[in-house]
Amino acid sequence: MNNLYLDFDGVLNTEEWFHRADFHSAIYENRSFSKEKLNFNDACVARVKKLQETFDLNLVICSNWRFGGVKPDHFKQIFKLFNWNVDRISMIDTK
């Protein structure tokens, strides 16, 4: 099985989102996952989703989001907002 190492910032979301004041509270504190708060670029999500599904890739999260307590199940919730059901998600362990 092959892996797709996925970062979020600059890959799925926009630079303007990263500079928003509510970035950390929406993701790390409140776990408030909505399309509006995430502000992912739909075209970018569609491209990564197509890659993952076409080649049946495992997703390995290497985004800094993993440091804020966001767990694989949270990522599954996020992807479901975009009609993307991912069964195999893991995260890089930096310990």
Side-chain angles (χ1 to χ4, degrees), residues 26-51:
I27 301 305
Y28 298 128
E29 295 169 18
N30 301 330
R31 304 288 189 267
S32 180
F33 305 125
S34 69
K35 285 183 90 169
E36 295 76 30
K37 290 202 177 192
L38 292 168
N39 199 30
F40 283 178
N41 181 298
D42 288 329
C44 293
V45 172
R47 285 185 198 112
V48 175
K49 176 182 175 186
K50 184 174 181 177
L51 261 174

Side-chain angles (χ1 to χ4, degrees), residues 18-31:
F18 189 73
H19 295 290
R20 285 181 20 193
D22 63 347
F23 160 70
H24 288 285
S25 65
I27 301 305
Y28 298 128
E29 295 169 18
N30 301 330
R31 304 288 189 267

Side-chain angles (χ1 to χ4, degrees), residues 30-89:
N30 301 330
R31 304 288 189 267
S32 180
F33 305 125
S34 69
K35 285 183 90 169
E36 295 76 30
K37 290 202 177 192
L38 292 168
N39 199 30
F40 283 178
N41 181 298
D42 288 329
C44 293
V45 172
R47 285 185 198 112
V48 175
K49 176 182 175 186
K50 184 174 181 177
L51 261 174
Q52 186 270 327
E53 292 176 343
T54 300
F55 297 103
D56 192 30
L57 301 171
N58 294 316
L59 285 186
V60 180
I61 307 299
C62 59
S63 174
N64 285 340
W65 287 29
R66 71 189 192 279
F67 297 128
V70 183
K71 304 292 182 200
D73 284 343
H74 296 128
F75 290 113
K76 287 180 182 182
Q77 291 173 20
I78 290 169
F79 294 136
K80 282 184 183 180
L81 296 171
F82 297 89
N83 298 313
W84 183 7
N85 294 314
V86 181
D87 294 326
R88 298 176 316 271
I89 296 178

